[in-house]
Amino acid sequence: MTPRHALHLADDESVETSNIVHVWVFGPGENGGNPLSHAELVDWVSARLSRSRVFTEVVEFRSPLAYPSWRSVTDMRVEDHVHCIDLDGGGWGAVRRELLRVLTTPIDLRRPPWEVYALTGARAVPGIDDGATFVALKFHHSMGDGVEAVAIGRKLFDAPDVLADCSDRDQKFTAPPNFVRQIGMLPGQITKMLLAARRARNAVAELGTLDELPSLPEARANRFNELPRNNDLVFDLARWPLETVHAARAALPEATVNDFGLAVIAGAMRSYLREHDELDGSSVVVGVPMSLVPLASRWTSKDEVSNQFGMILVDLQADEPDPIVRFAGIVAGTMHGKRRSRNSLVLAATTALDDYPWWAAKRVLASTRRAVKKGKRIAANALVTNVPRGSADVQLCGRSGVSAFGVVSADSGTAFAVASLGTELTISFTASRAAVPGSHRFRELLEASFTELVEALGGLKASRSDLVK
């Protein structure tokens, strides 16, 4: 297992932070809305196990000195991984509660690290027909990242496009050496680690002398950094037509869909802080995971490229009342962040842990998590992920895909997921109840922020590239 995959197994205190949960929503289908049965779902998944090695490989810990490895299994039971839950007429609140339970329940790593949950029987869910099925695909982050999870999901749901995931790439799986040899390898591992640490220190020092490289925005803790206690979380989402997003963002040609999503989130966070008299002029900063490998290459590469991502920090310009100026500042911020993340010195500083031995990497990550939980280390006020799900040509037992969204861990604070399927864009959020005691109110602010931004951009007579600096 590569270090980038194994590090998601390193934090023994983590519960849901290493769970990836993607939700795919399927319409009632041609059977009159009869609920999907457990037997149907088991048969569907069983017939598609060969489409990804993730379904039939288990994490193996052979030694405290060696990185974990993958081992194929032949005795797995699909029934242990597939679950159907009847919500018995429950509404959106029932769906959200069940999805949070799925998110916060640890995956049993004694089995292949994936699960499928089908939620049936929901009624009166806004924007979704009664009789729809909410399918939560849950993976452990050690198998790959969000892009990987989308590729596997599209294979499972019979999408016509063939997206490469880890099962399509050349893998060299070798058993770790025996314990005596591992002891003999310790001096070399320590030397490699010390050299990586020295490279990182030198890179950080040199970065401080580069005036042309954008500086990092500085975050100050606010309510969105509140950590959940006893998994007391809230979750909700808003959805819009994707064509409206594309038409609006055209006013700033440099802007991406994710930039637009960040601007919507910025407006909502600004309004929420202002309603609580906490908009004090300090920066609101979000961390945005960015693949170090171009997305187009991810689908075709035969090399191991999943979990290869960095984190860019973006100032959401929360002190700016003008939504257009705020949007332009965010676009500029993401452009600067991407340029910074690809700098060779930044890469040397942020990838040093890849050269650490397993036992040392675990200690570093444990120390980092303790600092976050004590509030001593705040890099951002929230996390925003963005993984498009592709076209809506996905199927499940005669049912067609109608929506998709993410449920992201709030283990380190408030988290958002920007997602799209077909012609729909969704922005979902997971937060500590202490941070966002009224999820419905924050959803309303997301919707209001979207409307404000679209109307403001629609009022421009021409594109305004000059605003992006």
Side-chain angles (χ1 to χ4, degrees):
M1 187 180 294
T2 67
R4 286 295 181 110
H5 289 72
L7 292 179
H8 292 285
L9 298 161
D11 188 357
D12 296 331
E13 298 179 11
S14 171
V15 176
E16 79 275 15
T17 188
S18 286
N19 287 344
I20 297 175
V21 178
H22 286 183
V23 182
W24 304 72
V25 187
F26 296 88
E30 300 177 355
N31 58 0
N34 292 330
L36 181 72
S37 70
H38 184 256
E40 284 181 292
L41 188 57
V42 168
D43 288 345
W44 179 277
V45 174
S46 298
R48 291 157 179 81
L49 288 180
S50 62
R51 295 184 179 181
S52 177
R53 67 173 181 82
V54 167
F55 293 129
T56 55
E57 290 191 347
V58 68
V59 177
E60 188 166 64
F61 300 90
R62 297 195 181 187
S63 165
L65 298 181
Y67 275 95
S69 57
W70 293 106
R71 176 174 58 84
S72 296
V73 293
T74 57
D75 58 349
M76 64 160 290
R77 285 169 34 90
V78 174
E79 292 84 351
D80 294 334
H81 297 261
V82 173
H83 313 274
C84 273
I85 300 168
D86 183 4
L87 298 180
D88 194 23
W92 178 229
V95 174
R96 288 181 291 161
R97 285 190 296 273
E98 197 60 42
L99 291 177
L100 286 175
R101 186 190 67 80
V102 170
L103 174 70
T104 56
T105 302
I107 284 182
D108 186 350
L109 292 177
R110 295 172 299 180
R111 300 196 291 253
W114 63 274
E115 295 171 346
V116 180
Y117 292 83
L119 311 184
T120 64
R123 303 291 177 190
V125 176
I128 301 295
D129 291 339
D130 290 352
T133 304
F134 294 78
V135 180
L137 291 188
K138 178 177 175 180
F139 300 96
H140 193 276
H141 220 317
S142 59
M143 72 88 199
D145 52 23
V147 178
E148 197 91 10
V150 167
I152 296 171
R154 292 188 67 81
K155 287 184 175 183
L156 183 62
F157 298 132
D158 283 0
D161 51 354
V162 179
L163 306 181
D165 71 7
C166 54
S167 62
D168 301 310
R169 301 192 182 105
D170 294 333
Q171 302 285 331
K172 295 180 180 179
F173 300 112
T174 57
N178 62 50
F179 191 73
V180 173
R181 286 192 59 200
Q182 290 175 32
I183 294 295
M185 294 167 63
L186 280 175
Q189 291 179 343
I190 293 172
T191 299
K192 186 177 181 180
M193 175 181 67
L194 293 176
L195 289 174
R198 186 171 68 182
R199 285 197 305 273
R201 287 194 301 270
N202 292 342
V204 170
E206 190 172 347
L207 281 170
T209 67
L210 297 181
D211 295 333
E212 70 274 13
L213 198 65
S215 59
L216 291 173
E218 295 184 4
R220 193 170 76 180
N222 59 31
R223 67 167 47 243
F224 294 105
N225 292 104
E226 289 280 348
L227 301 179
R229 297 181 180 180
N230 300 318
N231 289 329
D232 191 13
L233 297 166
V234 296
F235 170 80
D236 214 331
L237 64 81
R239 51 171 54 91
W240 305 276
L242 190 56
E243 63 180 358
T244 304
V245 177
H246 286 309
R249 73 181 179 90
L252 294 180
E254 301 86 353
T256 66
V257 170
N258 193 48
D259 292 334
F260 189 93
L262 289 174
V264 172
I265 291 167
M269 294 178 77
R270 168 186 163 82
S271 297
Y272 201 76
L273 290 172
R274 186 173 56 189
E275 287 186 354
H276 289 81
D277 295 321
E278 296 170 5
L279 190 64
D280 57 7
S282 57
S283 296
V284 175
V285 178
V286 293
V288 182
M290 187 192 75
S291 177
L292 299 178
V293 180
L295 189 59
S297 300
R298 291 289 301 267
W299 301 139
T300 58
S301 175
K302 290 295 183 180
D303 298 320
E304 182 50 73
V305 292
S306 68
N307 272 332
Q308 303 294 316
F309 59 86
M311 187 76 69
I312 66 173
L313 300 177
V314 181
D315 187 339
L316 293 187
Q317 315 290 319
D319 57 339
E320 174 54 60
D322 187 322
I324 295 179
V325 177
R326 190 187 313 134
F327 184 28
I330 289 170
V331 173
T334 57
M335 291 171 62
H336 293 328
K338 291 174 183 176
R339 181 159 63 89
R340 180 184 176 88
S341 70
R342 295 188 178 105
N343 179 275
S344 59
L345 294 174
V346 173
L347 288 172
T350 56
T351 61
L353 210 58
D354 292 353
D355 288 330
Y356 277 45
W358 173 241
W359 50 270
K362 290 183 65 175
R363 293 179 63 89
V364 171
L365 289 183
S367 175
T368 300
R369 176 160 293 279
R370 285 194 297 269
V372 170
K373 287 188 173 181
K374 293 179 180 178
K376 294 180 179 180
R377 185 172 296 178
I378 299 295
N381 302 111
L383 175 75
V384 181
T385 70
N386 172 34
V387 184
R389 306 310 196 252
S391 56
D393 49 1
V394 289
Q395 300 286 326
L396 173 64
C397 297
R399 299 160 174 84
S400 299
V402 297
S403 184
F405 55 88
V407 186
V408 187
S409 165
D411 198 45
S412 298
T414 304
F416 298 87
V418 180
S420 60
L421 179 71
T423 60
E424 180 189 71
L425 177 79
T426 59
I427 298 180
S428 58
F429 63 91
T430 315
S432 162
R433 193 176 300 276
V436 185
S439 64
H440 65 285
R441 178 55 183 158
F442 195 83
R443 185 194 69 241
E444 291 172 349
L445 292 176
L446 281 172
E447 293 168 343
S449 176
F450 181 92
T451 300
E452 178 189 48
L453 184 57
V454 168
E455 290 180 350
L457 292 170
L460 292 177
K461 302 301 182 183
S463 64
R464 292 294 307 275
S465 295
D466 59 297
L467 293 174
V468 180
K469 301 176 181 178

